[in-house]
CSV table of all heavy atoms in Angstrom, one decimal:
chain,number,residue,atom,x,y,z
A,838,PRO,N,40.8,107.3,-28.8
A,838,PRO,CA,39.9,108.3,-29.3
A,838,PRO,C,40.7,109.4,-30.0
A,838,PRO,O,41.9,109.6,-29.7
A,838,PRO,CB,39.3,108.9,-28.0
A,838,PRO,CG,40.3,108.7,-26.9
A,838,PRO,CD,41.0,107.4,-27.3
A,839,PRO,N,40.1,110.1,-31.0
A,839,PRO,CA,40.8,111.2,-31.6
A,839,PRO,C,40.8,112.4,-30.6
A,839,PRO,O,40.1,112.4,-29.6
A,839,PRO,CB,39.8,111.6,-32.8
A,839,PRO,CG,38.6,110.8,-32.6
A,839,PRO,CD,38.8,109.8,-31.5
A,840,LEU,N,41.7,113.3,-30.9
A,840,LEU,CA,41.9,114.5,-30.1
A,840,LEU,C,41.3,115.7,-30.9
A,840,LEU,O,41.7,115.9,-32.0
A,840,LEU,CB,43.4,114.8,-29.8
A,840,LEU,CG,43.7,116.1,-29.1
A,840,LEU,CD1,43.1,116.2,-27.7
A,840,LEU,CD2,45.2,116.3,-29.1
A,841,VAL,N,40.4,116.4,-30.3
A,841,VAL,CA,39.9,117.6,-31.0
A,841,VAL,C,40.4,118.8,-30.1
A,841,VAL,O,40.1,118.9,-28.9
A,841,VAL,CB,38.3,117.6,-31.0
A,841,VAL,CG1,37.8,118.9,-31.6
A,841,VAL,CG2,37.8,116.4,-31.7
A,842,HIS,N,41.2,119.6,-30.8
A,842,HIS,CA,41.9,120.7,-30.1
A,842,HIS,C,41.3,122.0,-30.6
A,842,HIS,O,41.3,122.3,-31.8
A,842,HIS,CB,43.4,120.6,-30.5
A,842,HIS,CG,44.2,121.6,-29.8
A,842,HIS,ND1,45.5,122.0,-30.2
A,842,HIS,CD2,44.0,122.4,-28.7
A,842,HIS,CE1,46.0,122.9,-29.4
A,842,HIS,NE2,45.1,123.2,-28.5
A,843,VAL,N,40.7,122.7,-29.7
A,843,VAL,CA,39.9,123.9,-30.0
A,843,VAL,C,40.5,125.2,-29.3
A,843,VAL,O,40.9,125.1,-28.2
A,843,VAL,CB,38.4,123.8,-29.6
A,843,VAL,CG1,37.6,125.1,-29.9
A,843,VAL,CG2,37.8,122.6,-30.2
A,844,ASP,N,40.6,126.3,-30.0
A,844,ASP,CA,41.0,127.5,-29.5
A,844,ASP,C,39.8,128.4,-29.5
A,844,ASP,O,39.4,128.9,-30.5
A,844,ASP,CB,42.1,128.2,-30.3
A,844,ASP,CG,42.7,129.5,-29.6
A,844,ASP,OD1,41.9,130.1,-28.9
A,844,ASP,OD2,43.8,129.8,-29.8
A,845,ALA,N,39.2,128.6,-28.3
A,845,ALA,CA,37.9,129.3,-28.2
A,845,ALA,C,38.1,130.8,-28.0
A,845,ALA,O,37.1,131.5,-27.7
A,845,ALA,CB,37.0,128.7,-27.2
A,846,TYR,N,39.3,131.3,-28.1
A,846,TYR,CA,39.6,132.7,-27.7
A,846,TYR,C,38.7,133.7,-28.5
A,846,TYR,O,38.2,134.6,-28.0
A,846,TYR,CB,41.1,133.0,-28.0
A,846,TYR,CG,41.5,134.4,-27.6
A,846,TYR,CD1,41.7,134.7,-26.3
A,846,TYR,CD2,41.7,135.4,-28.6
A,846,TYR,CE1,42.1,136.0,-25.9
A,846,TYR,CE2,42.1,136.7,-28.2
A,846,TYR,CZ,42.3,137.0,-26.9
A,846,TYR,OH,42.6,138.2,-26.5
A,847,ARG,N,38.6,133.4,-29.8
A,847,ARG,CA,37.8,134.3,-30.7
A,847,ARG,C,36.3,134.0,-30.7
A,847,ARG,O,35.6,134.6,-31.4
A,847,ARG,CB,38.4,134.3,-32.1
A,847,ARG,CG,39.8,134.9,-32.1
A,847,ARG,CD,40.4,135.1,-33.5
A,847,ARG,NE,40.6,133.8,-34.1
A,847,ARG,CZ,40.5,133.5,-35.4
A,847,ARG,NH1,40.2,134.5,-36.2
A,847,ARG,NH2,40.7,132.3,-35.8
A,848,LEU,N,35.9,132.9,-30.0
A,848,LEU,CA,34.5,132.5,-30.0
A,848,LEU,C,33.8,133.3,-28.9
A,848,LEU,O,34.2,133.2,-27.7
A,848,LEU,CB,34.3,131.0,-29.8
A,848,LEU,CG,34.9,130.1,-30.8
A,848,LEU,CD1,34.7,128.7,-30.5
A,848,LEU,CD2,34.3,130.4,-32.2
A,849,GLY,N,32.8,134.1,-29.2
A,849,GLY,CA,32.1,134.9,-28.2
A,849,GLY,C,30.8,134.3,-27.8
A,849,GLY,O,30.3,134.6,-26.7
A,850,GLY,N,30.2,133.5,-28.7
A,850,GLY,CA,28.8,133.0,-28.4
A,850,GLY,C,28.6,131.7,-27.7
A,850,GLY,O,27.5,131.2,-27.6
A,851,GLY,N,29.7,131.2,-27.1
A,851,GLY,CA,29.6,130.0,-26.3
A,851,GLY,C,29.3,128.7,-27.2
A,851,GLY,O,29.8,128.6,-28.3
A,852,LEU,N,28.4,127.9,-26.6
A,852,LEU,CA,28.2,126.6,-27.2
A,852,LEU,C,27.6,126.7,-28.6
A,852,LEU,O,27.9,125.8,-29.5
A,852,LEU,CB,27.2,125.8,-26.3
A,852,LEU,CG,27.1,124.3,-26.6
A,852,LEU,CD1,28.4,123.6,-26.6
A,852,LEU,CD2,26.2,123.6,-25.6
A,853,ASP,N,26.8,127.7,-28.9
A,853,ASP,CA,26.2,127.8,-30.3
A,853,ASP,C,27.3,127.9,-31.3
A,853,ASP,O,27.3,127.3,-32.4
A,853,ASP,CB,25.3,129.1,-30.4
A,853,ASP,CG,24.0,128.9,-29.6
A,853,ASP,OD1,23.6,127.7,-29.4
A,853,ASP,OD2,23.4,129.9,-29.3
A,854,GLU,N,28.4,128.7,-31.0
A,854,GLU,CA,29.5,128.8,-32.0
A,854,GLU,C,30.3,127.5,-32.0
A,854,GLU,O,30.8,127.2,-33.1
A,854,GLU,CB,30.4,130.0,-31.6
A,854,GLU,CG,29.8,131.3,-32.0
A,854,GLU,CD,30.8,132.5,-31.8
A,854,GLU,OE1,31.9,132.3,-32.4
A,854,GLU,OE2,30.4,133.5,-31.2
A,855,MET,N,30.4,126.8,-30.9
A,855,MET,CA,31.1,125.5,-30.9
A,855,MET,C,30.4,124.6,-31.9
A,855,MET,O,31.0,123.9,-32.7
A,855,MET,CB,31.1,124.9,-29.5
A,855,MET,CG,32.1,125.4,-28.6
A,855,MET,SD,33.8,125.0,-29.1
A,855,MET,CE,33.8,123.3,-28.8
A,856,GLU,N,29.0,124.6,-31.9
A,856,GLU,CA,28.3,123.7,-32.8
A,856,GLU,C,28.4,124.1,-34.2
A,856,GLU,O,28.5,123.3,-35.1
A,856,GLU,CB,26.8,123.7,-32.3
A,856,GLU,CG,26.6,122.9,-31.0
A,856,GLU,CD,25.2,123.1,-30.5
A,856,GLU,OE1,24.4,123.8,-31.1
A,856,GLU,OE2,24.9,122.4,-29.5
A,857,ASP,N,28.6,125.4,-34.4
A,857,ASP,CA,28.8,125.9,-35.8
A,857,ASP,C,30.1,125.5,-36.4
A,857,ASP,O,30.3,125.6,-37.6
A,857,ASP,CB,28.7,127.5,-35.8
A,857,ASP,CG,27.3,128.0,-35.6
A,857,ASP,OD1,26.4,127.2,-35.8
A,857,ASP,OD2,27.1,129.2,-35.3
A,858,LEU,N,31.1,125.0,-35.6
A,858,LEU,CA,32.3,124.6,-36.1
A,858,LEU,C,32.2,123.3,-37.0
A,858,LEU,O,33.1,123.1,-37.8
A,858,LEU,CB,33.3,124.2,-35.0
A,858,LEU,CG,33.8,125.4,-34.1
A,858,LEU,CD1,34.7,124.9,-33.0
A,858,LEU,CD2,34.5,126.4,-35.0
A,859,ASP,N,31.1,122.6,-36.9
A,859,ASP,CA,30.8,121.5,-37.7
A,859,ASP,C,31.9,120.5,-37.8
A,859,ASP,O,32.4,120.1,-38.8
A,859,ASP,CB,30.5,122.0,-39.2
A,859,ASP,CG,29.8,120.9,-40.0
A,859,ASP,OD1,29.2,120.0,-39.4
A,859,ASP,OD2,29.9,120.9,-41.2
A,860,LEU,N,32.4,120.1,-36.6
A,860,LEU,CA,33.5,119.1,-36.5
A,860,LEU,C,33.0,117.8,-37.1
A,860,LEU,O,31.9,117.4,-36.9
A,860,LEU,CB,33.9,118.9,-35.0
A,860,LEU,CG,34.4,120.2,-34.3
A,860,LEU,CD1,34.6,119.9,-32.8
A,860,LEU,CD2,35.6,120.7,-34.9
A,861,ASP,N,34.0,117.1,-37.8
A,861,ASP,CA,33.6,115.9,-38.5
A,861,ASP,C,33.8,114.7,-37.6
A,861,ASP,O,33.9,113.6,-38.1
A,861,ASP,CB,34.5,115.8,-39.8
A,861,ASP,CG,36.0,115.6,-39.5
A,861,ASP,OD1,36.4,115.9,-38.3
A,861,ASP,OD2,36.7,115.3,-40.4
A,862,VAL,N,33.7,114.8,-36.3
A,862,VAL,CA,33.9,113.7,-35.4
A,862,VAL,C,32.9,113.9,-34.3
A,862,VAL,O,32.6,115.1,-33.9
A,862,VAL,CB,35.3,113.6,-34.9
A,862,VAL,CG1,35.7,114.8,-34.1
A,862,VAL,CG2,35.5,112.3,-34.1
A,863,SER,N,32.3,112.9,-33.8
A,863,SER,CA,31.3,113.0,-32.7
A,863,SER,C,32.0,113.4,-31.4
A,863,SER,O,33.1,112.8,-31.0
A,863,SER,CB,30.6,111.6,-32.5
A,863,SER,OG,29.9,111.7,-31.3
A,864,LEU,N,31.5,114.4,-30.7
A,864,LEU,CA,32.1,114.8,-29.4
A,864,LEU,C,32.2,113.7,-28.4
A,864,LEU,O,33.2,113.6,-27.7
A,864,LEU,CB,31.3,116.0,-28.9
A,864,LEU,CG,31.3,117.3,-29.7
A,864,LEU,CD1,30.5,118.3,-29.0
A,864,LEU,CD2,32.7,117.8,-30.0
A,865,SER,N,31.2,112.8,-28.4
A,865,SER,CA,31.2,111.7,-27.4
A,865,SER,C,32.3,110.7,-27.7
A,865,SER,O,32.6,109.9,-26.8
A,865,SER,CB,29.8,111.1,-27.3
A,865,SER,OG,29.5,110.5,-28.5
A,866,ASP,N,32.8,110.6,-28.9
A,866,ASP,CA,33.8,109.7,-29.3
A,866,ASP,C,35.2,110.2,-29.2
A,866,ASP,O,36.2,109.5,-29.6
A,866,ASP,CB,33.5,109.2,-30.7
A,866,ASP,CG,32.2,108.4,-30.8
A,866,ASP,OD1,31.8,107.8,-29.8
A,866,ASP,OD2,31.6,108.4,-31.9
A,867,SER,N,35.4,111.5,-28.8
A,867,SER,CA,36.7,112.1,-28.8
A,867,SER,C,37.1,112.6,-27.5
A,867,SER,O,36.3,112.8,-26.6
A,867,SER,CB,36.6,113.3,-29.8
A,867,SER,OG,36.1,112.9,-31.0
A,868,VAL,N,38.3,113.0,-27.3
A,868,VAL,CA,38.8,113.8,-26.2
A,868,VAL,C,38.8,115.2,-26.7
A,868,VAL,O,39.5,115.5,-27.8
A,868,VAL,CB,40.2,113.4,-25.7
A,868,VAL,CG1,40.8,114.4,-24.8
A,868,VAL,CG2,40.2,112.0,-25.1
A,869,ILE,N,38.1,116.1,-26.1
A,869,ILE,CA,38.0,117.5,-26.5
A,869,ILE,C,38.9,118.4,-25.6
A,869,ILE,O,38.7,118.4,-24.4
A,869,ILE,CB,36.5,118.0,-26.5
A,869,ILE,CG1,35.6,117.0,-27.1
A,869,ILE,CG2,36.4,119.4,-27.0
A,869,ILE,CD1,35.8,116.8,-28.6
A,870,VAL,N,39.8,119.1,-26.2
A,870,VAL,CA,40.6,120.0,-25.4
A,870,VAL,C,40.3,121.4,-25.9
A,870,VAL,O,40.5,121.7,-27.1
A,870,VAL,CB,42.1,119.7,-25.5
A,870,VAL,CG1,43.0,120.8,-24.8
A,870,VAL,CG2,42.4,118.3,-25.0
A,871,VAL,N,39.9,122.3,-25.0
A,871,VAL,CA,39.5,123.7,-25.4
A,871,VAL,C,40.3,124.7,-24.6
A,871,VAL,O,40.3,124.8,-23.4
A,871,VAL,CB,38.0,123.9,-25.1
A,871,VAL,CG1,37.6,125.3,-25.6
A,871,VAL,CG2,37.1,122.9,-25.8
A,872,GLU,N,41.2,125.4,-25.4
A,872,GLU,CA,41.9,126.5,-24.8
A,872,GLU,C,41.0,127.7,-24.8
A,872,GLU,O,40.2,127.9,-25.7
A,872,GLU,CB,43.1,126.8,-25.7
A,872,GLU,CG,44.1,125.7,-25.7
A,872,GLU,CD,45.4,126.1,-26.5
A,872,GLU,OE1,45.7,127.3,-26.5
A,872,GLU,OE2,46.1,125.2,-27.0
A,873,TRP,N,41.0,128.5,-23.7
A,873,TRP,CA,40.2,129.7,-23.5
A,873,TRP,C,38.7,129.3,-23.5
A,873,TRP,O,37.9,130.1,-24.0
A,873,TRP,CB,40.5,130.7,-24.6
A,873,TRP,CG,41.9,131.1,-24.8
A,873,TRP,CD1,42.7,130.6,-25.8
A,873,TRP,CD2,42.7,132.0,-24.1
A,873,TRP,NE1,44.0,131.2,-25.7
A,873,TRP,CE2,43.9,132.1,-24.6
A,873,TRP,CE3,42.4,132.9,-23.0
A,873,TRP,CZ2,44.9,132.9,-24.1
A,873,TRP,CZ3,43.4,133.7,-22.5
A,873,TRP,CH2,44.6,133.7,-23.0
A,874,GLY,N,38.3,128.2,-23.0
A,874,GLY,CA,36.9,127.8,-23.1
A,874,GLY,C,36.0,128.2,-21.9
A,874,GLY,O,34.8,128.0,-22.0
A,875,GLU,N,36.6,128.7,-20.9
A,875,GLU,CA,35.9,129.1,-19.7
A,875,GLU,C,34.7,130.0,-20.0
A,875,GLU,O,34.9,131.0,-20.7
A,875,GLU,CB,36.8,129.7,-18.7
A,875,GLU,CG,36.2,129.8,-17.3
A,875,GLU,CD,37.2,130.2,-16.3
A,875,GLU,OE1,37.9,129.3,-15.8
A,875,GLU,OE2,37.3,131.4,-15.9
A,876,GLY,N,33.5,129.7,-19.6
A,876,GLY,CA,32.4,130.5,-19.9
A,876,GLY,C,31.8,130.3,-21.3
A,876,GLY,O,30.8,131.0,-21.7
A,877,LYS,N,32.3,129.3,-22.0
A,877,LYS,CA,31.9,129.1,-23.4
A,877,LYS,C,31.5,127.7,-23.7
A,877,LYS,O,30.6,127.4,-24.5
A,877,LYS,CB,33.0,129.5,-24.4
A,877,LYS,CG,33.4,130.9,-24.3
A,877,LYS,CD,34.6,131.2,-25.1
A,877,LYS,CE,35.0,132.7,-25.0
A,877,LYS,NZ,36.2,133.0,-25.7
A,878,VAL,N,32.1,126.7,-23.0
A,878,VAL,CA,31.8,125.3,-23.4
A,878,VAL,C,31.4,124.4,-22.2
A,878,VAL,O,31.2,123.2,-22.4
A,878,VAL,CB,33.0,124.7,-24.1
A,878,VAL,CG1,33.4,125.4,-25.3
A,878,VAL,CG2,34.2,124.6,-23.1
A,879,GLU,N,31.1,124.9,-21.1
A,879,GLU,CA,30.7,124.1,-19.9
A,879,GLU,C,29.5,123.3,-20.2
A,879,GLU,O,29.3,122.3,-19.6
A,879,GLU,CB,30.5,125.0,-18.7
A,879,GLU,CG,31.8,125.5,-18.1
A,879,GLU,CD,32.3,126.8,-18.7
A,879,GLU,OE1,31.8,127.2,-19.8
A,879,GLU,OE2,33.2,127.5,-18.1
A,880,GLU,N,28.6,123.8,-21.1
A,880,GLU,CA,27.3,123.2,-21.3
A,880,GLU,C,27.5,121.9,-22.1
A,880,GLU,O,26.6,121.1,-22.2
A,880,GLU,CB,26.4,124.1,-22.2
A,880,GLU,CG,26.0,125.3,-21.4
A,880,GLU,CD,25.2,126.3,-22.3
A,880,GLU,OE1,24.4,125.8,-23.2
A,880,GLU,OE2,25.4,127.5,-22.1
A,881,LEU,N,28.7,121.6,-22.6
A,881,LEU,CA,28.9,120.3,-23.4
A,881,LEU,C,28.7,119.1,-22.5
A,881,LEU,O,28.2,118.1,-22.9
A,881,LEU,CB,30.3,120.3,-24.0
A,881,LEU,CG,30.5,121.2,-25.2
A,881,LEU,CD1,32.0,121.2,-25.6
A,881,LEU,CD2,29.7,120.8,-26.3
Side-chain angles (χ1 to χ4, degrees):
L840 171 66
V841 178
H842 185 197
V843 178
D844 184 330
Y846 184 77
R847 294 184 295 148
L848 298 180
L852 193 56
D853 290 339
E854 285 191 49
M855 282 290 293
E856 290 173 353
D857 288 344
L858 293 177
D859 197 24
L860 300 174
D861 64 348
V862 64
S863 170
L864 296 180
S865 64
D866 296 332
S867 306
V868 170
I869 311 296
V870 176
V871 182
E872 297 185 26
W873 307 99
E875 192 169 278
K877 299 175 183 175
V878 298
E879 288 88 345
E880 295 173 37
L881 287 173

